[in-house]
Amino acid sequence: MTTKEVLDFYNISFYVSRQFGKTPYFLGGDEMEELFLFFRTVDDIDEEVLPLIDHYLNGNPFPVDNDLTVTTRERVEVTLAGITFISMHTGNMDMMVPLQHFKTIVLAWRNFLSNY
């Protein structure tokens, strides 16, 4: 799938608010929205998100700190199967995103952040 197709599939868009300066926003993606509002700098993505995704995409099954949780609503775990969003209140899986789709979204967000 192309980047546009992946973003459309998860109903994701990016925009910059100029109301109080220039503030980038990640909209859509259901459970992903809150995660990406936390990871809103290129450095955050390069240091915390991409290395973890690449660890698993490169076929490395060895455990690492695979927790991307940034809120009290959802626990976010990265595994060989994908990115899993688990409700902190019920323990149920709310969403799972395949690793390649998630990396495509991360790189699109990173590109947007570096060019806004």
Side-chain angles (χ1 to χ4, degrees):
M1 292 177 81
T2 67
T3 299
K4 182 179 178 352
E5 289 171 333
V6 171
L7 295 178
D8 288 348
F9 181 79
Y10 293 100
N11 196 29
I12 294 170
S13 61
F14 312 133
Y15 86 99
V16 175
S17 170
R18 291 184 175 21
Q19 188 172 9
F20 301 106
K22 288 175 67 177
T23 306
Y25 285 97
F26 181 107
L27 299 174
D30 294 321
E31 307 302 332
M32 288 184 275
E33 186 173 73
E34 202 167 354
L35 177 70
F36 284 105
L37 289 177
F38 181 83
F39 292 113
R40 59 189 322 157
T41 70
V42 171
D43 286 343
D44 286 342
I45 292 168
D46 287 348
E47 294 169 13
E48 297 187 44
V49 182
L50 284 175
L52 185 54
I53 295 167
D54 286 340
H55 172 82
Y56 288 104
L57 278 176
N58 291 333
N60 191 345
F62 300 107
V64 294
D65 181 6
N66 67 338
D67 188 356
L68 284 178
T69 303
V70 295
T71 70
T72 57
R73 238 181 48 149
E74 296 285 333
R75 188 170 77 239
V76 182
E77 296 178 353
V78 183
T79 66
L80 284 170
I83 311 303
T84 307
F85 295 82
I86 302 164
S87 170
M88 294 283 219
H89 302 292
T90 65
N92 295 333
M93 180 174 50
D94 288 339
M95 180 180 200
M96 183 168 194
V97 180
L99 280 175
Q100 193 57 56
H101 285 194
F102 193 73
K103 183 168 184 180
T104 299
I105 294 164
V106 168
L107 291 174
W109 179 233
R110 184 190 183 287
N111 184 53
F112 177 80
L113 292 173
S114 62
N115 292 309
Y116 82 92

